[in-house]
Amino acid sequence: MFASFKSDKTRNTQKGQQENHGLTLLDTPNLDLCLRTPASLEEIVDYGKLILEGKGLLMCLNDLPDPDKIRAQDYLAGVAYTIGATETEVSPEVTMYLPGEVNTIRG
């Protein structure tokens, strides 16, 4: 939930009356983004469940051996493809998975 404030102070409009812009609350959707660095290939199944639950996943594969990195990426790419999530390579070791309705902007 975000709050929006007006910067001008309360103003007097007529004698004895005040105009107060106050606080505006906006109810906006949110995204849980999980940051993970797996130590073993067995942890990848749980990360796939995070994607299936509609959560974002930012995963760093620095601690896995090379053959396991490929298996982990293949498994999560399959999970993401199945439900329409996006897969974005941030760097050779870091991949981000987001639900299909979430967009990213590169600056």
Side-chain angles (χ1 to χ4, degrees), residues 87-104:
E87 176 185 19
T88 305
E89 184 178 280
V90 178
S91 75
E93 297 288 327
V94 178
T95 307
M96 182 170 52
Y97 302 90
L98 296 173
E101 63 273 5
V102 176
N103 294 320
T104 58

Side-chain angles (χ1 to χ4, degrees), residues 3 10 13 22 29 41 49 55 63 67 70 78 86 92 96 99-100 104-105:
T10 302
T13 55
L41 191 60
K49 291 178 185 175
K55 297 180 180 175
D63 295 343
I70 295 168
T86 61
M96 182 170 52
T104 58
I105 300 171

Side-chain angles (χ1 to χ4, degrees), residues 2-59:
F2 294 95
S4 171
F5 295 94
K6 298 258 185 190
S7 62
D8 56 339
K9 295 182 179 183
T10 302
R11 295 181 294 176
N12 290 331
T13 55
Q14 291 179 347
K15 189 175 182 180
Q17 292 181 341
Q18 293 184 343
E19 180 182 356
N20 187 345
H21 295 286
L23 172 67
T24 302
L25 294 177
L26 303 174
D27 189 14
T28 60
N30 59 9
L31 171 70
D32 293 329
L33 182 62
C34 304
L35 310 173
R36 299 290 187 262
T37 303
S40 69
L41 191 60
E42 289 78 26
E43 296 176 38
I44 299 301
V45 174
D46 291 331
Y47 301 164
K49 291 178 185 175
L50 293 173
I51 297 170
L52 288 172
E53 293 170 358
K55 297 180 180 175
L57 174 65
L58 187 62
M59 185 178 63

